[in-house]
Amino acid sequence: QSALKKRLTELHNQSERAARMMNVVKTNQSQAAETASRKKDLIRNEFLEIKALIEERENQTLKVIADEEKRVCNKFDYIYGVLGSKKNEIQSLRDQIEMALTEGDDILFLKRAAALQRMSTKDTFIPVIEMDQNLLHSIYQSAINLKDIVKLSVTQCREKRAEAKLTPEKTKSAPVASPNRTIGGKKPPGPQHTHKEKILHQTEAVLQVEADTKEKKKPVKVAPTAGTVNAAAAVSTKELIDSFLKKPREELLQYAANITLDYNTAHNKVILSERYTRMSVSDTPLNYNHHPQRFTDCSQVLGFQCFKRGIHYWEVELQQNNFCGIGICYGSMDRRGPESRLGRNSSSWCIEWFNSKISSWHNDVEKCLPNVRTNKIGVLLHCEGGFVIFMAVGEKHNLIYKFKTQFTEALYPAFWLFSSGTVLSL
């Protein structure tokens, strides 16, 4: 009886402890919900601020273009008014001459004729008025840069979450106090400090990407793969290339890169149009502003985007005469002299059309290729794989040529047009 009473007391105490723990769980659950709600509100406010900043940037950008449009339109209005005054002046002189011709008095006629002959009018002309293409391109490129920065930040967050899921044992080996728990009435400073460091590192990475985009001459080194490429690696590379050649166009477009042409690299006879996606050759120089990245000897132009890692695909449409070269190059490739020709140096790889003749060029070495009839070329660049493929786009992709090497710098799409009739479109 005594043992049962003691047991009963223990059960009563355990029941009370269980009830207290249940209350604690409910309290913690309520606190967690409140914490989550507060965090959601804070995050919403942060994203609202981000949206407001982007909208402000958009409005500023559109205002710059609107101001440029207004400036040009005001000039056109002024010229229109001047031409209207000139037209009225000419019409008035015509009326006076017609009246003089009807004059019956010879002396009055001679006086009027002498006075009218002294009056002269100049030919009308329209001065060159156009929008500042440098300004428009820089504004458009700033929007692209901002988009790339946002995409980079979002991608980094996704990759970090994926890494956290793949390596849970690392988080278990180093337990960290929950941010909701308090130690001695104060929140632990460790996680907050780590979060600030992460933000700092992400900001530095974003700024570095923007700097890399602007600095085309600066080579971006890529750490070489340890060890030499053995036969097994060569076989795997060949299998990888074959796998891409077997993919339908729809799958290759998953790697599509939005390529635009860099105005600052265009030779003075290369015309850029259709939002910097179409290039042709002018018979006369276009008097572009001087820029250290501009080609001075060869009618070439580079893409604005550079690629340091990943898989990228773009297509080039050939129009009219086929006197052109399509390829890739390092940003450090020369911009002047014979070494600046695409494929004639160690910094560029291309295929070239000379009428019906097709050749591959790298390091000033030419290799003649079988003739392929196509008006659209697909370029697939695999940075880590170390190869670039040129293929004829159609119902079935036909390989034109492939280069295999270990890329050591950032790569840019490159184009060479050596005939006035050549037109390439991205």
Side-chain angles (χ1 to χ4, degrees), residues 31-66:
Q31 290 177 350
E34 291 176 2
T35 301
S37 178
R38 287 196 301 271
K39 292 295 182 183
K40 287 179 182 178
D41 291 338
L42 290 174
I43 290 173
R44 287 194 188 97
N45 291 334
E46 294 296 332
F47 275 99
L48 285 174
E49 187 175 351
I50 293 172
K51 292 175 183 177
L53 290 172
I54 292 177
E55 288 178 358
E56 182 182 3
R57 177 74 174 273
E58 178 186 6
N59 293 333
Q60 291 174 351
T61 302
L62 295 177
K63 185 178 182 301
V64 171
I65 297 178

Side-chain angles (χ1 to χ4, degrees), residues 18 70 126 151 159 185 194 210 217 229 245 282 291 362 381:
K70 183 178 179 181
I126 301 176
K151 287 174 67 176
E159 290 177 351
T194 304
E210 190 170 10
K217 283 288 283 184
V229 179
L245 292 174
S282 171
H291 196 280
H362 172 62
L381 170 64

